Amino acid sequence: MNENHVIQCVRRVAKNLFNKYVILAVTLCSFGLVSAQNSDGRISGKVISEKDGEPLIGVSILVKGSNVGSVTDFNGAFTLQAKIGETIAVSYIGYTTQTVKITGSTLIIKLSEDSQNLDEVVVVGYGVQKKKLVTGATVQVKGDELAKMNTTNPLQALQGKTPGVNISSTSGQPGSDMKVVIRGLGTTGNSGPLYIIDGVEGDITTLNASDIQSIDVLKDAASAAIYGSQAANGVILVTTKQGTKGNAKVSFDAYYGVQNVERKVSLLNAQEYKMIMDEQQVNSGLSPFNWASKGTLADTDWMGQMIKKDAKTQNYSLNITGGSETSTYSMSLSYNSQEGIIGGSNVSNYERYGARVNTEHKLYKDVLVVGQHLNFNYINTVGIAVGNQYGNTLRGAFDVSPLAPVYSNNNIYNSPYNDTSKSLWNTTDGNPYGSMMTNTQNLNSNQKLLADVYAELQPIKNLKIKSTLGINYYASNYHSLTPLYQFSVYSYNNDHETVNQNMGSGYTLTSTNTASYDLKINEDHAFNALIGAEAVKYRGVGMSGSNWNLVPQMDDFNHAYLDNTTGKAHLDTDGKTLIETRTVGGSASTDYSRSSYFGRLGYNYKEKYMLNATLRADGSSRFASGHQWGYFPSASAGWTISNESFMASTTGWLDQLKLRASWGQVGNQNIGDFKYAALISTSTAVSSSNPAAFYDFGNSGVNTAGAYQTTMANKNLKWETSEQTNIGFDASFLKNRLSLTGDFYIKTSKDWLVQSPLQATSGFDSWMVNGGNVKNTGIELALNWNDNIGDFKYNVGVNGAYNKNVVGEIPTSDGIIHGQTNMLYANSEEFYRAENGHALGYFWGYKTAGIFQNQADIAAWKAAKNGILQTDVQPGDVKYVDQNHDGVIDSKDKIDLGNGMPTVTYGFTLGFQYKNFDFSINGAGALGNKIVQSYGQTGGQSNYTTEILNRWTGDGTSNRIPRVTVNNINWQFSDLYVHAGDYLRISNISLGYDFAKLIHLKAISQCRVYGSVQNAFTFTKYNGMDPEIGYGVENWVSGVDLGYYPRPRTVLVGVNLKF
Amino acid sequence: MKKFKLNIIIAGALTLGLFSSCSDSFLNSVPKTQLVDENFYKTEADAEMALVGCYDGYQQTSSGFPIYLVAEVASDECFGGTGANDGRGYQMIDRLDKNQSTSDNNVFNDTWKSYYKGIFRCNNLLQKLPGIAKWNSSKDSVNNITEKRIEGETRFIRALMYFDLVRMFENIPLLTEPSTANIPQATPLETYKVIVADLKFAAANIPANAYPKAQAATNDGRVTRYAAEALLARVYLFYTGYYAKDDLGVTKPEILAGLEDVIASNEFDLLPDFKTLWRAASYRVDTLKGVKDIGGKDSVYLNKQFYAGKGNKEVVFAQKFNSTSDYAGNADGNGWIVMMGMRGCNFSPYGKGWGACTVNPQLVNAYPTGDKRRTASVIDLVGENIESIFNIADQKEYTGYTVKKYSPTALPVRNGDNSKQTSDTGGSKDFQQSQDQDYVQIRYADILLMAAELGSPNAVAYFNKVHTRAGLTAVASVSLSDIQTERRYEFAFEGIRYWDLLRSGLDNAANTIAASAQTVKSGGVADHITYDVTKIKATKGFMQIPNTQITLSGGVLIQNQGW
C-alpha cells in the first residue's frame, strides 16, 4: 500500500493545501532570485483551475530533465528559472498533470480536475486503495452528497445511492433504526452490516452528515473478509472529516423544516361505521344496534387527531479545519432535532448534540505520525410505542371506533380526555390520543463517545507500523412516569403512580496493530502486504429502580425522579401481606472479548493485472472452548483490459475497462453471550426473558426463590459463514463522462446461528443452533453521466439491483422456522415463515379465488369438490382455494404469498448547475415487495378503513372484499391481507443559489441558500401511509403494516456558509 | 545509519509486543449475574433451590388454557362464557366441537408447553440428584433422607403434571429424563404407570413429619406423604373408572389404606362452616363504625375475618399463588382466576374479570333445600342485586349465575367514587397479574368421599361428615350414586366434576353434558346452547393437541380423534 487515509484527505482538500512555511520560503526565494535572475530568463506564471478560474495554491512545477522546480503561492503565481522552449510538468493532486512547453516569459496554465476519479482512493479494510486497483465490489458515497440530503440519520441519505444495499426505515419515529440489508438477507439472526468509523466499530447514527468525509460499502466477501467474523452482512466504512494544512476554513450549515404526513389512511366516519356495525349484526343473524340507546356519540377522526401538523426539524453544524506543516485539525459542533409527526415533540422527539475533534501530528519529521479521532454525542429521545399490535401507540387510531370522543369531562383524574369505561357503545374503546399524551412520559438520554488514538511509525520507507487504541463508550439514563389514568375498562392505572429511573454505561475497547509494506520491483511489479492483530473487549453495567407515588407538589413528569417519590413498604389492607413499592436492580453485562489476526497480500503488474488475497482468524468468547476460532479467507483478481496494447484502438472512446472477480468467506457471530451454555436462573436478575422461579409456601406472601435451567446448552455452536463469489466490471467512456459499474454475485450463507424452535417436550421453546442456509443471487448496475453545455452542468446517475433470495435448508425437524402467532390481531395464526425453497420470511396463507356471488356459485364450488372454511357459508363469503383438493381447507392449503423484501431496488440522481444555481432530484424505489396490512380486529367493534365500503353486498358487487360479519372467518390470513408494495419515491428535491459571488466578500467563499423537499412524492398503489416498511415482527421479516408510523414529508430551507 | 538501525529495532520490538498480546484465556468469559449448570447442582442448597424451581414450574401451568378451565368449561357445571365479541375458543371446548371455532388450532399450545417445561425441571433435577456430593448431613446408602425427600417431592410434582396432561390429552409424549429427541406419544397405560410409580415413591419416602400441618403458615403447599396418597387415589379412581381396567400395578386395598392413613394422621379436618373455605363466599362488605367518608356516607371496608385462610385444616394439597406477579419476569399469580370474574366491573367483594364459566342454572337448581353449599359456591346476579348494573350486552352466554368459589375479589366503593374501586389482589393490584388465590387441589372432604367410594368400613360416617356440614340430615346408608351426587354439590367449580363424569363412563358423561343444554343470552340476545353427543364421544372427552407441536414434531405427534 502506498497510501494511508491521510493521503485521501489530502487529495480531497488539495485545492486549499498549503504550508505557510513553504509559501514563505518560496516567496522569499522568489524575491531573492528575482533580481538575480530577471535578466537571464526567469519565467513567471499563474496556475488556475479550468473549472472556475480560481487560483490553485501549492501546485508543483518542475522543469523536465532537471531538478529545478517551484510551487505556486496564494495567488496561484509562480516564478521559475527556465528558458523558452523548455518543458515543464505542472502537477497537483486531484488534477490532471499537464506538460507545457514554455513559449513566453509569462504563462497562464489551466489545470483540469481529474474528472473521473481514476486516481481516486477508496477506503478498504485497514487501509486505502487506488480505486482503479480495486478488485472487489465496493461503492463509495461522498459526505457532501449525504449532507445535501439533510436527513437526521446519515443512513437515510444513503438510500438509492448504493446499489445492492437495501435501506428501509423500521418506523418513521425520529431516531428510529434503519434496516440495512446488503445483497439480500442471509440470516434469520442479526442481518445488519458492521459499521467501522475511522477504524473503530461504532454507531453511524451518532454522526451528523456534515461530519462525514465518505462512506465506503464493502459488498462482496473478498472486500469484507479482512473483517472476518463481523462481516457476513457486509461492512460500512465511515471516514469522518480530517484536518488539512492551510488557513482555518470555517463552514456553517443550517436548515429548518416542517414535516407533515404525506398520505393518511382513510377510516370510516361515524355514519359509515354505524352502517357497517349494523350490517355485521344482520349478516350474522343478529339484530341491528339500537343507536338511540347508545347515548351521545361522537364522530372522531382519530388519525387526524394523532397527527401533528408542521412538526419541526432543524440542524445546525459548525465545522473548522486547518493545520500547519506538522499538525492538522478538524472540529465540529452540531445540533440536530426532529419532532415526531405523531403526537409531536412531547411524545415523539429526537435531539442530538454532537462534537467532534480529529487531529494529526507529525513527529520526528515523517517517521512518526500520531493522531486521534473523537466524536461525542448527547442524544435525547422520547418515543411512543412502535412495536407489534399490542405495543403500538398508533394502532389505536386505526381500530378505535369513531363514536368515542377525544375530550369530555368524564375523566376521574381531572384529565381533559374522554374515558369510555361507562360508554354505552363500547366500554373497551379507550382513547388512543389521550392515552398517548398521558402515558408517554419518558425521556431517554444517551451519551456516546467514540474515540481513538493512533500512532504510525515509518522506520524505513514504505514500511508502516500502526497502532490504534479505540474506545466506544456509552452512558445512558432514562426516567419515566406512569401516572394514574383511566380510558376504558381495560386501560387504566388506578392504584398508584410509578416512577422508573435507570442508568447504564459500558465500553468497548479495541486495540488494532498493523504493519504494512509496499515494494516495487522493476517499476512493473508492485507488491503490498499487511499483517495485523486486533483485540476487542466489552464491559457494561446497569442500575434501575422504581417506586410509587410522587409528592403532590411535584406530581408531574419533570419531577419524576426517585427522590421525589413517597412509596413505602406497607402492609396490605388484609394486614398481613407486605407490599413492596420499591424495586431496585443492578446488572453487569458479560465481558465479551474477541481476538483476531489478519493479513493481506496484494500484487499488480503495471496496474494491469491485480491480485489480492486476505486471511483472517477470529476468536470469540461467544462460543465454547474448542469452537472459538474461525478462519476467513478471500482472493480476488482484476484485469484492466483497457491498459492492454491490443485495446489501443479504443482509447478514443474507452477510458477504462476493468474486469473483477472475487471469492471469499466471511463470518457472523452476532448473537448474545453464552448462547452455548446451560444457564441457571436463581431467581435473581429477573426479567421477562429470565423469569424468576418463586414459590410462596405457607401463607405469609413471602416468596421462596427457586432455580432452574433457563437455556438449552449447545456446546458445538460456531460461526455462521457466508461465502460469496462476485464478478464485476468498471468502465468509463467518452473522457470519463460516462461511467458504468456492474456486478453479479452469488452469496451463500450457511450454518446460520438460529434460534431453532424445539418440541415442547425438550422443556424449551427453542435453542441456538448452527444450520440452514440461504442463497442470494443478484445483479447490480450503476450508470453515471456528467457533462456540461457551456455554463450548464448536469449529471445523471441511475442504479439498480436485483436480488433473489432462496432458503436452501432449515435445521428443524419440520424444515420450517415458524412465525409467531397473535401478531396480526388477537389469536391470529402464524403468517410468515422460513422454509426450504422459499424466500426468507415469506408470507404464508390461503389463496383466495374471489367471493361467492350467489348460492349457485357455492353449489358449483362444492360440486367441484373444493373445501369450504366457513361452516355456514353464505354468498359474500370468501372462496379459500383448496390447493390439494381434499375437500377441506386447512393448513395444507396455505401457500407462499410473497415476501416483504423487494426483488429490485433502484435509485436515481439528477443534478443541474447553472452559474450560481444548483438543482437536484434524488429518487429511490423498490419492486416486488409485498405488504401485509392489518389494522384491527375484523368482525368486532374495531374500525375499518374505507376500503370496506367496497365490500360485497349482493351478487356482483365485489369479488375481492367479503361481506361483513361479526366473526373473522372471511379474514383468516389470506392474500386479502397482502398488498403490492412497489413504489418510487422522490426522496429529495433541492434548489439552491450561491450568493457568494454576488456579495463579493472575500471572507465568504460560499453562501448557498437552498430549499428542499424530502420524501416529496411517493408513487405507489399501496393504500397504507407508507410503502417502505422495514418492520416485520422479527428482523428477518419486513413489510408488516400494523399501523405504521409513516415517514414525514419535510419542506425545509437551509444555508451553507463557507469562510 | 545508526538511527535507521534503531528504528528497525523499535519497530521489531513493537511488532512483537503488539502481536503477542492475545491468548486463549482472553476469550474465556463467565456470566456475572447467572450461573451455568457446570457450577450448579453441587450442594444440598442447590438441590433444595432446584426443587422450588419444580414447584414453580407447576405453578406456571396455570396460564394459557389451564386444566381448571378445561374441567369447568367442558363439564355440565359451566358454559364457556367470555365477552360477547370474543372468539369462540371457549365454546369449542364447551361443546368439544371443532366447528365452533375452526381456526382455533393452538388453544392449548401454552398449556402444553408449560407442562413440559415443568416436567423438564423435574427430570433435570432427578437426573442431577445422584451427582450432588455435598449434603448437610452425612450421606450413605441407608441414611439419605433429605435426598429421598427431595426426590419424592420432585416425582410427585412430575406425576401431578403428567396426570393433568394425560387427562386432558390422553396420548402424550412420556419422558422421564431430559431429552431433545422427537418423542412419539405413549399409551395411556404407560403414562399412568409412571404416575403411579412416582406417587408411590413419594408416599414411601417423604417422611410423615416433613411438613406438619401445625407449621402450615410456612410449609403449606409442600408435598406431603398424605398428598401423595390422596393423589394416588384420585389417579386410581380416574383410570379404573374411565378405562374400566385395573392394571396399574396398585391394588384397591392399597389405595384405600393410603386414604385411611391420611385420615388417621389427624393432620386434617373439615372446617365447621363450608363458606369459610372460599374468599368471595366469606368476605363481606362492612361499615366502619363511626367513620364517615367524604360526603358524609358511612365508610365501608372489606371484612375478611371469616375466611379460613390459605393452608387451613382442610387443605391436603394446594397449588400456591402469590400477588407478586408483574410484567417484568415475575409470574407467581393464579393465571386463570381472572377469567372467572364478571366482565367489566367490580362488585365488591367480587372482582372483575373476563366473564368465562357462566354457571348452568340446572346445577344451581339441583341443590337440595337448605344446602349451604349453594350460596357459598354460586353468585346469583339477580338475587344479589348485581344484574341491574352488570353490562349483559358485553357478556357471552349469560345465565344470571357465575362462580363464587373462585371469583376474584375487590375492595368496596370508597369515597362514593365507583370508578376508583380497585381489585383486592394484593401486590400491585393489577387484576390480570396479581391474583393470589391458591387452587386447592385436594380437600379433606375429597379424602373422606374417596375413602367412602373405595369401600371404607367407615363409609357412612365419612359421607355424613361432609353431608351434615352442608346443613343436611345424616343418612343411614350410602350408594355410589349418593356419593356421585354429593361430590357434584361439594366440589362444584373445583375442577373435579368433569373428571368425575368421565370416570363414570364416556356414554354417561356425554349424555349428562348433552342434557345440560340451555337457552342463555349472548350480547343480550337469546342464544340456544346445544350439545352434540356424537361430537363429545368422537373426542372421547379429550382435548385438541396443539397444532404447532404436531408441526414441530414433523408429524410424529398424532392429533387426537375428533379434532
Side-chain angles (χ1 to χ4, degrees), chain B residues 469-506:
Chain B
R469 179 183 55 169
L472 303 172
T473 328
V475 297
S477 65
V478 288
S479 65
L480 178 60
S481 158
D482 293 337
I483 292 170
Q484 283 170 340
T485 308
E486 193 67 20
R487 291 181 68 85
R488 184 184 180 199
Y489 304 148
E490 177 70 20
F491 301 125
F493 320 118
E494 293 182 47
I496 286 177
R497 169 71 176 170
Y498 184 61
W499 315 116
D500 279 355
L501 277 176
L502 285 181
R503 71 184 173 90
S504 72
L506 181 59

Side-chain angles (χ1 to χ4, degrees), chain A residues 30 149 161 351 392 788 813 818:
Chain A
S30 314
M149 303 295 286
K161 294 186 161 43
E351 188 181 43
N392 182 338
N788 59 300
S813 51
H818 295 269

